[in-house]
Amino acid sequence: MNLLSWIGRQAIELFSTLGFFFIVGLKAFTGIFSGTWSKEDLFEQLERVGVGSVLVVSITSAFTGMVLAVQTLDQFVRFGATGYIGGVIALSMVREMSPVLTGLVVSGRIGAAMAAEIGSMKVTEQIDALRTFGLEPHVFVGVPRLLAGLVMLPVLTLFSFVIGITGGFLYVAAHGVNAHLFRRSVEALLAPSDIYGGLLKAAVFGVLIVVSACGQGFMAGQGARGVGTATTKAVVWGNMLILVFNYVLSSLLFGGIKG
Amino acid sequence: MDPVMRMQGVSVSFDGREVIGGMDMTLPVGEITCLMGPSGCGKTTALKLASGLLKPDKGRIELLGKVIGPETQEDELVEVRKELGVVFQGGALFDSLSVGQNIAFPLKYCRGIEDPESISKMVLDMLEHVELEDVRDKYPAMLSGGMRKRVAIARSLVHSPSLLLLDEPTTGLDPVTARHIDQLVVDLCGEFGFTALVVTHDIVSALGIGDTLLLMHEGRIAWRGVPVEWERSDHPMVKSFAQGMVSVGRTGGEKM
């Protein structure tokens, strides 16, 4: 009975949280055209999400590309398929690794910071202050962050493609794989639709990170503990949503057997 | 003249507990009304009702001609809120904005003023009123508690609201700074002619600035009158509240 009630409570919390995220996201999307948000804040958020994440995304992507090369080089040499290694690394990075890793890195870095900032604003009555000025906090606070996530995640992911593939190339080149062969393989296996698919995933992840961070910030309880809990939940929810939607989007964009 | 705000039979409950029960309150034009009461009696909830931040579960509130009831939608309150100035207990200044940007905020979003020169002039003028001309480029975290309260008052008045609501403006301040804030509220009220509701548990402050005093007890107005009547009152709630405040002071004094 206790287990059943626990499952019931968890299910209610899960759906009520998802419902709140949906409302926050919907208000922010519809609020884009209202004009009651700060352009200065948008530039600040673009810088925080984009420029501020370049270094950590670069390091993560470079080493991920290199690890992909480490794991595949020996097997491909053994089966005489060295000519495919560049393409396989590029496909892995572009379709999966770059969007997901960029999403997870930004979720940990920016999602947490956004939730903490909005949670603090709520605790210190700054959110109420916005309402007394006739502003809708979900729009005023949410729109610049939503746009920053929507724009900057694809930009960072594009950056991650290049860095990750370069990292993989440097490893295999150091182990005797011809640069021309690597490039030919990338050109042969990688289609523009793979790049568009990867960028679309990144844009969706950007929205998910911001919606879960803003949602948890707005739901933050009282005091430092409330803000801390909201921050943790924002990262957990952001990462969970990224992985779930990654499966859904991968199935829709790249799933099935194509000729 | 119609009052700026009138509450009639207003009740609010949180988690099944009634915080405000059948409350009636009127704010006459141009007067400072002080709402007193012990912690937890519902003062801040009453202020949030008066500002339209909370909607009543029962009863009605007339705020600057707009009727707020249980069914009132959030977007119906946008315009009336722009006519309010609210000073929150902690100031609620925006951390990421400088003092000047904080004060400019209502000019931009409540009055739609975009011209930087006009905004800058009005911000400086307001900072002069609260005697803080030198802090325009500082951030809220760099200010003392008293300075933050004065900046919050400046921000709440810069767009010339009809009603100013202050939540515990002197709490956490030393007596000298607290009296300075009181004087500022009285001076600005005289100069700008706004109506004010001051929520406080500081009797000295309330007696000093209030035209009308209201005493709250367990979510209802238990007593109302003017400062002279407060001093002569035999009402048990008034005596209890006044004596309670004095005895706390004596205990502290004996311990020293």
PDB file of all heavy atoms in Angstrom, chain A residues 93-124:
ATOM      1  N   MET A  93      29.460  12.042 -34.051  1.00  0.00           N
ATOM      2  CA  MET A  93      29.492  13.375 -33.444  1.00  0.00           C
ATOM      3  C   MET A  93      28.269  14.193 -33.867  1.00  0.00           C
ATOM      4  O   MET A  93      27.585  14.781 -33.029  1.00  0.00           O
ATOM      5  CB  MET A  93      30.774  14.140 -33.861  1.00  0.00           C
ATOM      6  CG  MET A  93      32.058  13.681 -33.205  1.00  0.00           C
ATOM      7  SD  MET A  93      32.079  13.660 -31.406  1.00  0.00           S
ATOM      8  CE  MET A  93      31.849  15.357 -30.978  1.00  0.00           C
ATOM      9  N   VAL A  94      28.013  14.218 -35.157  1.00  0.00           N
ATOM     10  CA  VAL A  94      26.982  15.126 -35.679  1.00  0.00           C
ATOM     11  C   VAL A  94      25.583  14.693 -35.269  1.00  0.00           C
ATOM     12  O   VAL A  94      24.755  15.524 -34.857  1.00  0.00           O
ATOM     13  CB  VAL A  94      27.111  15.210 -37.222  1.00  0.00           C
ATOM     14  CG1 VAL A  94      25.902  15.899 -37.841  1.00  0.00           C
ATOM     15  CG2 VAL A  94      28.384  15.934 -37.603  1.00  0.00           C
ATOM     16  N   ARG A  95      25.313  13.377 -35.363  1.00  0.00           N
ATOM     17  CA  ARG A  95      23.949  12.927 -35.065  1.00  0.00           C
ATOM     18  C   ARG A  95      23.667  12.829 -33.566  1.00  0.00           C
ATOM     19  O   ARG A  95      22.560  13.103 -33.131  1.00  0.00           O
ATOM     20  CB  ARG A  95      23.722  11.545 -35.678  1.00  0.00           C
ATOM     21  CG  ARG A  95      23.508  11.561 -37.169  1.00  0.00           C
ATOM     22  CD  ARG A  95      23.196  10.156 -37.603  1.00  0.00           C
ATOM     23  NE  ARG A  95      22.775  10.074 -38.988  1.00  0.00           N
ATOM     24  CZ  ARG A  95      22.285   8.966 -39.532  1.00  0.00           C
ATOM     25  NH1 ARG A  95      22.172   7.876 -38.810  1.00  0.00           N
ATOM     26  NH2 ARG A  95      21.921   8.942 -40.800  1.00  0.00           N
ATOM     27  N   GLU A  96      24.652  12.377 -32.799  1.00  0.00           N
ATOM     28  CA  GLU A  96      24.373  12.090 -31.381  1.00  0.00           C
ATOM     29  C   GLU A  96      25.233  12.851 -30.380  1.00  0.00           C
ATOM     30  O   GLU A  96      24.724  13.557 -29.530  1.00  0.00           O
ATOM     31  CB  GLU A  96      24.543  10.583 -31.105  1.00  0.00           C
ATOM     32  CG  GLU A  96      23.569   9.698 -31.852  1.00  0.00           C
ATOM     33  CD  GLU A  96      22.119   9.946 -31.447  1.00  0.00           C
ATOM     34  OE1 GLU A  96      21.876  10.373 -30.303  1.00  0.00           O
ATOM     35  OE2 GLU A  96      21.238   9.735 -32.302  1.00  0.00           O
ATOM     36  N   MET A  97      26.565  12.625 -30.486  1.00  0.00           N
ATOM     37  CA  MET A  97      27.438  13.070 -29.397  1.00  0.00           C
ATOM     38  C   MET A  97      27.428  14.594 -29.209  1.00  0.00           C
ATOM     39  O   MET A  97      27.305  15.070 -28.083  1.00  0.00           O
ATOM     40  CB  MET A  97      28.886  12.584 -29.636  1.00  0.00           C
ATOM     41  CG  MET A  97      29.021  11.090 -29.801  1.00  0.00           C
ATOM     42  SD  MET A  97      28.281  10.169 -28.451  1.00  0.00           S
ATOM     43  CE  MET A  97      29.553  10.228 -27.235  1.00  0.00           C
ATOM     44  N   SER A  98      27.550  15.329 -30.285  1.00  0.00           N
ATOM     45  CA  SER A  98      27.634  16.794 -30.148  1.00  0.00           C
ATOM     46  C   SER A  98      26.358  17.396 -29.562  1.00  0.00           C
ATOM     47  O   SER A  98      26.424  18.131 -28.563  1.00  0.00           O
ATOM     48  CB  SER A  98      27.950  17.455 -31.492  1.00  0.00           C
ATOM     49  OG  SER A  98      29.299  17.263 -31.782  1.00  0.00           O
ATOM     50  N   PRO A  99      25.173  17.098 -30.136  1.00  0.00           N
ATOM     51  CA  PRO A  99      23.964  17.711 -29.545  1.00  0.00           C
ATOM     52  C   PRO A  99      23.737  17.283 -28.093  1.00  0.00           C
ATOM     53  O   PRO A  99      23.426  18.123 -27.247  1.00  0.00           O
ATOM     54  CB  PRO A  99      22.819  17.215 -30.431  1.00  0.00           C
ATOM     55  CG  PRO A  99      23.418  16.545 -31.596  1.00  0.00           C
ATOM     56  CD  PRO A  99      24.860  16.301 -31.332  1.00  0.00           C
ATOM     57  N   VAL A 100      23.931  15.978 -27.823  1.00  0.00           N
ATOM     58  CA  VAL A 100      23.648  15.499 -26.459  1.00  0.00           C
ATOM     59  C   VAL A 100      24.655  16.054 -25.463  1.00  0.00           C
ATOM     60  O   VAL A 100      24.284  16.571 -24.401  1.00  0.00           O
ATOM     61  CB  VAL A 100      23.619  13.953 -26.418  1.00  0.00           C
ATOM     62  CG1 VAL A 100      23.536  13.451 -24.987  1.00  0.00           C
ATOM     63  CG2 VAL A 100      22.447  13.424 -27.234  1.00  0.00           C
ATOM     64  N   LEU A 101      25.948  15.957 -25.804  1.00  0.00           N
ATOM     65  CA  LEU A 101      26.962  16.436 -24.852  1.00  0.00           C
ATOM     66  C   LEU A 101      26.853  17.948 -24.643  1.00  0.00           C
ATOM     67  O   LEU A 101      26.962  18.429 -23.512  1.00  0.00           O
ATOM     68  CB  LEU A 101      28.364  16.077 -25.345  1.00  0.00           C
ATOM     69  CG  LEU A 101      28.733  14.604 -25.152  1.00  0.00           C
ATOM     70  CD1 LEU A 101      30.067  14.306 -25.797  1.00  0.00           C
ATOM     71  CD2 LEU A 101      28.790  14.267 -23.667  1.00  0.00           C
ATOM     72  N   THR A 102      26.620  18.668 -25.730  1.00  0.00           N
ATOM     73  CA  THR A 102      26.461  20.130 -25.583  1.00  0.00           C
ATOM     74  C   THR A 102      25.254  20.425 -24.687  1.00  0.00           C
ATOM     75  O   THR A 102      25.327  21.277 -23.797  1.00  0.00           O
ATOM     76  CB  THR A 102      26.276  20.798 -26.967  1.00  0.00           C
ATOM     77  OG1 THR A 102      27.372  20.426 -27.788  1.00  0.00           O
ATOM     78  CG2 THR A 102      26.212  22.301 -26.853  1.00  0.00           C
ATOM     79  N   GLY A 103      24.172  19.701 -24.917  1.00  0.00           N
ATOM     80  CA  GLY A 103      22.973  19.878 -24.100  1.00  0.00           C
ATOM     81  C   GLY A 103      23.255  19.591 -22.629  1.00  0.00           C
ATOM     82  O   GLY A 103      22.889  20.383 -21.752  1.00  0.00           O
ATOM     83  N   LEU A 104      23.938  18.469 -22.369  1.00  0.00           N
ATOM     84  CA  LEU A 104      24.198  18.099 -20.969  1.00  0.00           C
ATOM     85  C   LEU A 104      25.144  19.101 -20.295  1.00  0.00           C
ATOM     86  O   LEU A 104      24.945  19.470 -19.134  1.00  0.00           O
ATOM     87  CB  LEU A 104      24.789  16.688 -20.897  1.00  0.00           C
ATOM     88  CG  LEU A 104      23.862  15.545 -21.337  1.00  0.00           C
ATOM     89  CD1 LEU A 104      24.585  14.208 -21.279  1.00  0.00           C
ATOM     90  CD2 LEU A 104      22.590  15.490 -20.486  1.00  0.00           C
ATOM     91  N   VAL A 105      26.147  19.547 -21.047  1.00  0.00           N
ATOM     92  CA  VAL A 105      27.097  20.518 -20.476  1.00  0.00           C
ATOM     93  C   VAL A 105      26.389  21.833 -20.168  1.00  0.00           C
ATOM     94  O   VAL A 105      26.528  22.405 -19.074  1.00  0.00           O
ATOM     95  CB  VAL A 105      28.279  20.745 -21.472  1.00  0.00           C
ATOM     96  CG1 VAL A 105      29.043  22.012 -21.116  1.00  0.00           C
ATOM     97  CG2 VAL A 105      29.213  19.554 -21.469  1.00  0.00           C
ATOM     98  N   VAL A 106      25.588  22.310 -21.117  1.00  0.00           N
ATOM     99  CA  VAL A 106      24.883  23.589 -20.910  1.00  0.00           C
ATOM    100  C   VAL A 106      23.828  23.439 -19.802  1.00  0.00           C
ATOM    101  O   VAL A 106      23.631  24.351 -19.001  1.00  0.00           O
ATOM    102  CB  VAL A 106      24.251  24.099 -22.232  1.00  0.00           C
ATOM    103  CG1 VAL A 106      23.382  25.319 -21.984  1.00  0.00           C
ATOM    104  CG2 VAL A 106      25.335  24.434 -23.234  1.00  0.00           C
ATOM    105  N   SER A 107      23.188  22.279 -19.752  1.00  0.00           N
ATOM    106  CA  SER A 107      22.200  22.055 -18.688  1.00  0.00           C
ATOM    107  C   SER A 107      22.860  22.162 -17.311  1.00  0.00           C
ATOM    108  O   SER A 107      22.341  22.809 -16.406  1.00  0.00           O
ATOM    109  CB  SER A 107      21.563  20.666 -18.866  1.00  0.00           C
ATOM    110  OG  SER A 107      20.769  20.349 -17.756  1.00  0.00           O
ATOM    111  N   GLY A 108      24.026  21.524 -17.164  1.00  0.00           N
ATOM    112  CA  GLY A 108      24.738  21.572 -15.879  1.00  0.00           C
ATOM    113  C   GLY A 108      25.233  22.962 -15.563  1.00  0.00           C
ATOM    114  O   GLY A 108      25.181  23.411 -14.416  1.00  0.00           O
ATOM    115  N   ARG A 109      25.702  23.651 -16.584  1.00  0.00           N
ATOM    116  CA  ARG A 109      26.328  24.955 -16.350  1.00  0.00           C
ATOM    117  C   ARG A 109      25.287  26.079 -16.272  1.00  0.00           C
ATOM    118  O   ARG A 109      25.241  26.830 -15.305  1.00  0.00           O
ATOM    119  CB  ARG A 109      27.284  25.234 -17.521  1.00  0.00           C
ATOM    120  CG  ARG A 109      28.446  26.097 -17.166  1.00  0.00           C
ATOM    121  CD  ARG A 109      29.288  26.434 -18.365  1.00  0.00           C
ATOM    122  NE  ARG A 109      29.780  27.772 -18.143  1.00  0.00           N
ATOM    123  CZ  ARG A 109      29.185  28.861 -18.555  1.00  0.00           C
ATOM    124  NH1 ARG A 109      28.083  28.786 -19.258  1.00  0.00           N
ATOM    125  NH2 ARG A 109      29.685  30.048 -18.270  1.00  0.00           N
ATOM    126  N   ILE A 110      24.454  26.158 -17.280  1.00  0.00           N
ATOM    127  CA  ILE A 110      23.536  27.298 -17.394  1.00  0.00           C
ATOM    128  C   ILE A 110      22.179  27.012 -16.746  1.00  0.00           C
ATOM    129  O   ILE A 110      21.603  27.882 -16.104  1.00  0.00           O
ATOM    130  CB  ILE A 110      23.341  27.658 -18.886  1.00  0.00           C
ATOM    131  CG1 ILE A 110      24.679  28.061 -19.502  1.00  0.00           C
ATOM    132  CG2 ILE A 110      22.306  28.761 -19.052  1.00  0.00           C
ATOM    133  CD1 ILE A 110      25.323  29.279 -18.891  1.00  0.00           C
ATOM    134  N   GLY A 111      21.682  25.770 -16.917  1.00  0.00           N
ATOM    135  CA  GLY A 111      20.380  25.427 -16.326  1.00  0.00           C
ATOM    136  C   GLY A 111      20.399  25.647 -14.822  1.00  0.00           C
ATOM    137  O   GLY A 111      19.472  26.237 -14.246  1.00  0.00           O
ATOM    138  N   ALA A 112      21.477  25.182 -14.194  1.00  0.00           N
ATOM    139  CA  ALA A 112      21.603  25.347 -12.738  1.00  0.00           C
ATOM    140  C   ALA A 112      21.649  26.821 -12.363  1.00  0.00           C
ATOM    141  O   ALA A 112      20.970  27.263 -11.420  1.00  0.00           O
ATOM    142  CB  ALA A 112      22.860  24.638 -12.258  1.00  0.00           C
ATOM    143  N   ALA A 113      22.442  27.596 -13.114  1.00  0.00           N
ATOM    144  CA  ALA A 113      22.579  29.024 -12.801  1.00  0.00           C
ATOM    145  C   ALA A 113      21.251  29.762 -12.989  1.00  0.00           C
ATOM    146  O   ALA A 113      20.883  30.603 -12.158  1.00  0.00           O
ATOM    147  CB  ALA A 113      23.652  29.646 -13.693  1.00  0.00           C
ATOM    148  N   MET A 114      20.529  29.415 -14.060  1.00  0.00           N
ATOM    149  CA  MET A 114      19.238  30.077 -14.301  1.00  0.00           C
ATOM    150  C   MET A 114      18.239  29.759 -13.194  1.00  0.00           C
ATOM    151  O   MET A 114      17.544  30.650 -12.701  1.00  0.00           O
ATOM    152  CB  MET A 114      18.642  29.607 -15.641  1.00  0.00           C
ATOM    153  CG  MET A 114      19.192  30.290 -16.846  1.00  0.00           C
ATOM    154  SD  MET A 114      18.333  29.687 -18.313  1.00  0.00           S
ATOM    155  CE  MET A 114      19.313  30.445 -19.591  1.00  0.00           C
ATOM    156  N   ALA A 115      18.179  28.482 -12.814  1.00  0.00           N
ATOM    157  CA  ALA A 115      17.225  28.086 -11.756  1.00  0.00           C
ATOM    158  C   ALA A 115      17.569  28.795 -10.450  1.00  0.00           C
ATOM    159  O   ALA A 115      16.674  29.289  -9.741  1.00  0.00           O
ATOM    160  CB  ALA A 115      17.238  26.576 -11.574  1.00  0.00           C
ATOM    161  N   ALA A 116      18.869  28.857 -10.126  1.00  0.00           N
ATOM    162  CA  ALA A 116      19.292  29.515  -8.875  1.00  0.00           C
ATOM    163  C   ALA A 116      18.955  31.004  -8.915  1.00  0.00           C
ATOM    164  O   ALA A 116      18.475  31.572  -7.924  1.00  0.00           O
ATOM    165  CB  ALA A 116      20.792  29.319  -8.673  1.00  0.00           C
ATOM    166  N   GLU A 117      19.193  31.634 -10.069  1.00  0.00           N
ATOM    167  CA  GLU A 117      18.931  33.073 -10.195  1.00  0.00           C
ATOM    168  C   GLU A 117      17.426  33.371 -10.047  1.00  0.00           C
ATOM    169  O   GLU A 117      17.032  34.258  -9.279  1.00  0.00           O
ATOM    170  CB  GLU A 117      19.427  33.555 -11.566  1.00  0.00           C
ATOM    171  CG  GLU A 117      19.321  35.052 -11.743  1.00  0.00           C
ATOM    172  CD  GLU A 117      19.680  35.495 -13.152  1.00  0.00           C
ATOM    173  OE1 GLU A 117      19.783  34.641 -14.051  1.00  0.00           O
ATOM    174  OE2 GLU A 117      19.842  36.708 -13.338  1.00  0.00           O
ATOM    175  N   ILE A 118      16.603  32.598 -10.760  1.00  0.00           N
ATOM    176  CA  ILE A 118      15.158  32.852 -10.706  1.00  0.00           C
ATOM    177  C   ILE A 118      14.605  32.479  -9.323  1.00  0.00           C
ATOM    178  O   ILE A 118      13.752  33.177  -8.780  1.00  0.00           O
ATOM    179  CB  ILE A 118      14.423  32.087 -11.835  1.00  0.00           C
ATOM    180  CG1 ILE A 118      14.906  32.595 -13.194  1.00  0.00           C
ATOM    181  CG2 ILE A 118      12.913  32.248 -11.725  1.00  0.00           C
ATOM    182  CD1 ILE A 118      14.477  31.751 -14.373  1.00  0.00           C
ATOM    183  N   GLY A 119      15.133  31.384  -8.755  1.00  0.00           N
ATOM    184  CA  GLY A 119      14.716  30.987  -7.402  1.00  0.00           C
ATOM    185  C   GLY A 119      15.030  32.092  -6.396  1.00  0.00           C
ATOM    186  O   GLY A 119      14.200  32.426  -5.547  1.00  0.00           O
ATOM    187  N   SER A 120      16.227  32.670  -6.507  1.00  0.00           N
ATOM    188  CA  SER A 120      16.601  33.775  -5.600  1.00  0.00           C
ATOM    189  C   SER A 120      15.699  34.981  -5.825  1.00  0.00           C
ATOM    190  O   SER A 120      15.310  35.661  -4.875  1.00  0.00           O
ATOM    191  CB  SER A 120      18.046  34.208  -5.837  1.00  0.00           C
ATOM    192  OG  SER A 120      18.895  33.157  -5.576  1.00  0.00           O
ATOM    193  N   MET A 121      15.385  35.242  -7.098  1.00  0.00           N
ATOM    194  CA  MET A 121      14.488  36.371  -7.395  1.00  0.00           C
ATOM    195  C   MET A 121      13.120  36.150  -6.754  1.00  0.00           C
ATOM    196  O   MET A 121      12.495  37.086  -6.259  1.00  0.00           O
ATOM    197  CB  MET A 121      14.304  36.530  -8.915  1.00  0.00           C
ATOM    198  CG  MET A 121      15.497  37.123  -9.624  1.00  0.00           C
ATOM    199  SD  MET A 121      15.235  37.228 -11.397  1.00  0.00           S
ATOM    200  CE  MET A 121      14.108  38.627 -11.507  1.00  0.00           C
ATOM    201  N   LYS A 122      12.679  34.892  -6.743  1.00  0.00           N
ATOM    202  CA  LYS A 122      11.374  34.606  -6.149  1.00  0.00           C
ATOM    203  C   LYS A 122      11.432  34.781  -4.625  1.00  0.00           C
ATOM    204  O   LYS A 122      10.570  35.432  -4.035  1.00  0.00           O
ATOM    205  CB  LYS A 122      10.951  33.173  -6.495  1.00  0.00           C
ATOM    206  CG  LYS A 122       9.530  32.884  -6.092  1.00  0.00           C
ATOM    207  CD  LYS A 122       9.154  31.446  -6.329  1.00  0.00           C
ATOM    208  CE  LYS A 122       7.809  31.168  -5.676  1.00  0.00           C
ATOM    209  NZ  LYS A 122       7.563  29.741  -5.513  1.00  0.00           N
ATOM    210  N   VAL A 123      12.492  34.229  -4.027  1.00  0.00           N
ATOM    211  CA  VAL A 123      12.627  34.295  -2.571  1.00  0.00           C
ATOM    212  C   VAL A 123      12.764  35.735  -2.085  1.00  0.00           C
ATOM    213  O   VAL A 123      12.259  36.096  -1.023  1.00  0.00           O
ATOM    214  CB  VAL A 123      13.853  33.439  -2.132  1.00  0.00           C
ATOM    215  CG1 VAL A 123      14.214  33.682  -0.684  1.00  0.00           C
ATOM    216  CG2 VAL A 123      13.571  31.962  -2.365  1.00  0.00           C
ATOM    217  N   THR A 124      13.452  36.576  -2.859  1.00  0.00           N
ATOM    218  CA  THR A 124      13.663  37.973  -2.439  1.00  0.00           C
ATOM    219  C   THR A 124      12.587  38.919  -2.993  1.00  0.00           C
ATOM    220  O   THR A 124      12.794  40.136  -3.029  1.00  0.00           O
ATOM    221  CB  THR A 124      15.059  38.472  -2.870  1.00  0.00           C
ATOM    222  OG1 THR A 124      15.182  38.291  -4.286  1.00  0.00           O
ATOM    223  CG2 THR A 124      16.166  37.708  -2.184  1.00  0.00           C
TER     224      THR A 124
END
